[in-house]
Amino acid sequence: MLINNIDYRTVWMQDSSVYMINQLLLPFKFEIYQSKDYIETANAIKTMIVRGAPAIGATAAYGLAQAALLFEGYGYNDFKEYVDEAFNLLNLTRPTAIDLKHGLNFVKSRMFVKGSIANSKMKAFEAAAEYADLSAESCKKIGGHGNEIIKNNQRILTHCNAGALACVDFGTALAPIRIAHYNNKNIFVFVDETRPRNQGFLTAWELSQEKISHAIIADNAAGFFMKKKEVDLAIVGADRIALNGDAANKIGTYEKAVLAKENNIPFYVAAPLSTFDANSKTGNDIVIEERSEDEIFYAYGMSENKNLEKINIAPLESHARNPAFDITPAKYIKGIITEIGIIKPTKQEIQKLVKYGNEKRSSF
Amino acid sequence: MLINNIDYRTVWMQDSSVYMINQLLLPFKFEIYQSKDYIETANAIKTMIVRGAPAIGATAAYGLAQAALLFEGYGYNDFKEYVDEAFNLLNLTRPTAIDLKHGLNFVKSRMFVKGSIANSKMKAFEAAAEYADLSAESCKKIGGHGNEIIKNNQRILTHCNAGALACVDFGTALAPIRIAHYNNKNIFVFVDETRPRNQGFLTAWELSQEKISHAIIADNAAGFFMKKKEVDLAIVGADRIALNGDAANKIGTYEKAVLAKENNIPFYVAAPLSTFDANSKTGNDIVIEERSEDEIFYAYGMSENKNLEKINIAPLESHARNPAFDITPAKYIKGIITEIGIIKPTKQEIQKLVKYGNEKRSSF
């Protein structure tokens, strides 16, 4: 992704440090966080310096390679034990993120070159870099397929941040938008601010950096612009997709999908193969996390004297309910944009996809 | 309305001061603002110390009475000229608020007792008090009619603040909720926070004061709770209702109405007769105001050291679009709760209502 006209990834490794864009400071300050050992890297995942399933997967992969590289003992068994410890620590940082495990397993399954610690260290680094490259490549392919449904002069609505910041690069929902822009299509993006955590502001920041025309809107205004025929297309990400095509995504996605259907606007979900969950038959099998009331009660931003500050915006004697995700039933989804093409949200198509994904992963 | 267990109105007059609940400080601080002359009262309307069409109407009525009471000249013609000046100043404070004109005309048409300034002063005060009483009474009647559609143990969704704070008392959408509560019905209210201006927090504050169970939710979460069958009924206010039943209300109302329909939840609009606009044939005739981007870019609240503060929450290099209202087509509205009963949102019913309202007003 372009930031200040320089091509960045969300996370990368150089020497034995893992570097990542510090997302706790965005969209207010752009800073690179340098993690000097795997414990710092684990903490960075835990404290959400890096966020978004694909980005977390790559960070964990780099974290494990970093652990290997910094091993200073001698015996090969000690080395293996030490790597297992690092694996476990990294694996526990965000318990629900399945990509975390993918990234760690990818590196672990490739790194051990029997008897040679030096070779194993090198292999670990290579595997982590390969994982990150494959992850970025997946998103780029999503962008390529998604680009085909975007016509010149279209106005696209998106929700939350399914952008490069949530991935290694390109993003999921934002990848088609990026690629359409790189192909000189004239597009405009409506960005839902996405209360309560305002991830839409990260999306807006990414779009600004790429000079893609856009406007932030209150989540309440998406329906208004759809009804006024100012939205041609909606593309969102997904956290998990059930076998029947029901998609779990950031709270509010369901609302926008219903409104899109009501206004005859095609509603697409963009997601890599790893998002499909063969263990969830329908959306009902996906447990929705309710998060702290404080996300409703407080706003976070920059004060006049340029400090990041938290202020209380709601009456504290009230209660709040704060579901973090919702389920969009398959019937509202026109298609799912994956790295191997756009599919219909049907059981038949998704089962084929899951099978393909499993075979591909087992060939890793 | 109850505040700290004391019965308050939003605005009232005592001696020659107009008192109002300072809504700029809510929900953080409860303070009464004392306006000592009509120029201060006009400013209070302009700066939104008082807000909401019915509340503004009553404040303007009191403001005109206040002007009359404080007249210190001698001649009756001077008095009339001076009252006209005050009328014009008060009338210009919020150009689109039709209730403002109603309130002012109500007082002006009753106050002049030929030749007697003293009697005119007294009449002006009586007329303003009568206007406020009638306004409060209308809302109470809306509450009575609306109460009949609320069953015990129901969970009601509301949007924005159509509460007592927006009226002289009781509120419009909140009146049925209040009256149901006073009738010992066990109810629960989902309160949309209503970005960008968060009027839902005022609603939550009112409900807290009345000890009515409720939860604030992100606007994005309304659909989630509807789909989970946790919402039985939706009641919102309206800023203007066209002859065909299309209703203009706070941005996001349309979204919630579509979602209610999709989930078979009855969606009601509560509004006094003065809200019906015979000059708007359909919602298309109602012009929607787009407000400043700053409402999206900044949040307003209380800092840790208990100061009211404004912080920047969105990337300022982005743009925002900020429509303040939207139109909910009549087909999504199950009924309109007025002071004379609940009507269907049809041209026939609304024309009858408008006729009745005009006759009533001309008999003032």
Side-chain angles (χ1 to χ4, degrees), chain A residues 192 217-226 256, chain B residues 251-252 255 321-323:
Chain A
D192 291 344
I217 57 174
D219 301 299
N220 278 326
F224 172 87
F225 289 111
M226 288 189 195
K256 308 322 163 208
Chain B
I251 190 75
E255 290 197 354
R321 287 194 63 187
N322 184 22

Side-chain angles (χ1 to χ4, degrees), chain B residues 57-58 60-62 64-65 87 98-112 123-135 360-364:
Chain B
Y62 280 130
L64 195 60
F87 184 104
I98 197 158
D99 278 26
L100 190 64
K101 204 160 273 174
H102 287 165
L104 291 169
N105 282 331
F106 190 94
V107 173
K108 193 180 169 189
S109 65
R110 278 160 180 72
M111 68 182 283
F112 292 113
K123 283 279 176 200
F125 172 75
E126 284 172 5
E130 189 189 347
Y131 183 85
D133 286 348
L134 286 170
S135 184
K360 207 176 133 202
R361 237 188 317 281
S362 72
S363 76
F364 277 172

Side-chain angles (χ1 to χ4, degrees), chain A residues 250-279:
Chain A
K250 188 61 58 208
I251 189 74
T253 304
Y254 164 68
E255 290 198 355
K256 308 322 163 208
V258 169
L259 286 154
K261 180 139 201 163
E262 189 76 6
N263 290 284
N264 294 311
I265 295 161
F267 190 91
Y268 285 91
V269 170
L273 293 186
S274 59
T275 311
F276 293 86
D277 177 15
N279 296 320

Side-chain angles (χ1 to χ4, degrees), chain A residues 13-312:
Chain A
M13 199 169 164
Q14 200 181 321
D15 302 323
S16 59
S17 281
V18 178
Y19 294 86
M20 51 202 109
I21 296 173
N22 187 340
Q23 300 194 38
L24 293 177
L25 304 178
L26 286 178
F28 309 105
K29 285 180 190 169
F30 174 66
E31 267 182 34
I32 303 300
Y33 176 80
Q34 178 183 9
S35 157
K36 291 184 178 159
D37 61 49
Y38 78 88
I39 293 168
E40 277 183 20
T41 302
N43 271 328
I45 297 172
K46 208 172 210 162
T47 58
M48 296 175 83
I49 287 175
V50 65
R51 48 159 279 286
I56 289 171
T59 306
Y62 281 130
L64 194 61
Q66 182 182 34
L69 282 173
L70 292 173
F71 177 70
E72 290 186 332
Y74 294 97
Y76 195 74
N77 282 340
D78 280 0
F79 175 64
K80 282 182 88 169
E81 246 175 56
Y82 161 88
V83 167
D84 277 343
E85 248 173 57
F87 184 104
N88 290 336
L89 184 79
L90 288 158
N91 192 30
L92 285 173
T93 46
R94 296 284 301 273
T96 53
I98 196 158
D99 279 25
L100 192 62
K101 204 160 271 173
H102 286 165
L104 291 169
N105 282 332
F106 190 95
V107 173
K108 191 179 171 189
S109 65
R110 277 160 180 74
M111 68 182 286
F112 291 113
V113 181
K114 195 135 190 116
S116 165
I117 292 175
N119 283 352
S120 292
K121 285 181 172 186
M122 200 183 67
K123 283 280 177 200
F125 173 74
E126 284 172 5
E130 190 190 348
Y131 183 85
D133 286 349
L134 285 171
S135 184
E137 193 59 33
S138 283
C139 286
K140 193 176 177 184
K141 283 179 183 164
I142 288 171
H145 294 299
N147 172 43
E148 288 173 24
I149 58 166
I150 299 177
K151 299 191 188 76
N152 197 28
N153 297 320
Q154 276 196 325
R155 296 146 308 171
I156 305 153
L157 179 90
T158 191
H159 193 71
C160 196
N161 176 256
L165 289 168
C167 302
V168 176
D169 204 352
F170 297 101
T172 54
L174 288 196
I177 289 167
R178 272 206 164 75
I179 305 291
H181 175 71
Y182 296 160
N183 280 276
N184 297 314
K185 287 180 190 171
N186 177 33
I187 52 171
F188 183 88
V189 185
F190 283 101
V191 182
D192 291 344
E193 60 179 354
T194 319
R195 282 281 295 160
R197 288 179 66 95
N198 296 341
Q199 293 94 337
F201 297 155
L202 297 176
T203 296
W205 183 81
E206 284 193 36
L207 295 174
S208 284
Q209 291 294 336
E210 298 275 2
K211 299 189 179 21
I212 298 173
S213 300
H214 66 280
I216 304 169
I217 57 174
D219 301 299
N220 278 326
F224 172 87
F225 289 111
M226 288 189 195
K227 182 156 159 282
K228 278 189 72 183
K229 302 196 182 311
E230 294 195 32
V231 177
D232 303 299
L233 183 66
I235 310 178
V236 302
D239 286 86
R240 199 179 292 198
I241 299 173
L243 275 181
N244 72 338
D246 292 353
N249 192 42
K250 188 61 58 208
I251 189 74
T253 304
Y254 164 68
E255 290 198 355
K256 308 322 163 208
V258 169
L259 286 154
K261 180 139 201 163
E262 189 76 6
N263 290 284
N264 294 311
I265 295 161
F267 190 91
Y268 285 91
V269 170
L273 293 186
S274 59
T275 311
F276 293 86
D277 177 15
N279 296 320
S280 300
K281 280 190 183 159
T282 74
N284 293 331
D285 296 330
I286 302 173
V287 179
I288 300 293
E289 169 193 8
E290 279 211 30
R291 296 176 57 92
S292 161
E293 292 186 330
D294 283 359
E295 293 184 355
I296 305 281
F297 288 153
Y298 293 90
Y300 185 73
M302 199 175 277
S303 68
E304 255 175 27
N305 49 15
K306 303 289 170 202
N307 293 321
L308 285 177
E309 221 174 276
K310 205 169 97 169
I311 59 171
N312 165 228

Side-chain angles (χ1 to χ4, degrees), chain A residues 28 193 195 201 214 216 219-220 223 230 254-256 262-263 302 309 312-313 318-319 321 332, chain B residues 28 193 195 201 214 216 219-220 223 230 254-256 262-263 302 309 312-313 318-319 321 332:
Chain A
F28 309 105
E193 60 179 354
R195 282 281 295 160
F201 297 155
H214 66 280
I216 304 169
D219 301 299
N220 278 326
E230 294 195 32
Y254 164 68
E255 290 198 355
K256 308 322 163 208
E262 189 76 6
N263 290 284
M302 199 175 277
E309 221 174 276
N312 165 228
I313 56 173
S318 289
H319 286 286
R321 288 194 61 187
Y332 299 107
Chain B
F28 309 105
E193 61 179 352
R195 282 279 295 159
F201 298 156
H214 66 280
I216 304 169
D219 301 299
N220 278 325
E230 294 194 33
Y254 164 68
E255 290 197 354
K256 307 326 163 205
E262 190 76 5
N263 289 285
M302 200 177 276
E309 222 174 277
N312 165 230
I313 55 172
S318 289
H319 285 286
R321 287 194 63 187
Y332 299 107

